[in-house]
Amino acid sequence: MENFKYGFKDKFMDTTINRMEQNQDIFSKMMNDKDFGNIVRDYMLKKVYQQFRK
C-alpha cells in the first residue's frame, strides 16, 4: 500500500476536483480542514487498495 498511495494521492485530488460541483460543501471542508481531508483520503486509499487486491 505504501507504493500505491503515491499514485493514488494525485488521482484522488483530480477526482475530487472533477466532482467538486456535485458536492461543494464536502469539497470545501476537505480543502479547508486538512485533518478532515486526510481522513477522507486515507479512507478512500484503503478502500480502493482493497478493491484492487481482490
Side-chain angles (χ1 to χ4, degrees), residues 3 5 7 14 22 28 31-32 40 46-48 50 52:
N3 291 330
K5 79 176 179 180
D14 290 345
Q22 293 174 350
S28 294
M31 294 298 112
N32 294 327
V40 172
K46 290 174 186 170
K47 296 302 269 183
V48 171
Q50 289 171 353
F52 279 125

Side-chain angles (χ1 to χ4, degrees), residues 8-37:
F8 179 82
K9 189 175 182 179
D10 291 335
K11 186 63 176 169
F12 176 77
M13 186 54 66
D14 290 345
T15 302
T16 302
I17 290 169
N18 289 336
R19 294 179 181 251
M20 171 175 62
E21 292 176 1
Q22 293 174 350
N23 194 335
Q24 184 66 39
D25 293 337
I26 194 78
F27 176 80
S28 294
K29 182 162 177 71
M30 288 173 56
M31 294 298 112
N32 294 327
D33 183 341
K34 295 299 179 188
D35 290 336
F36 178 74

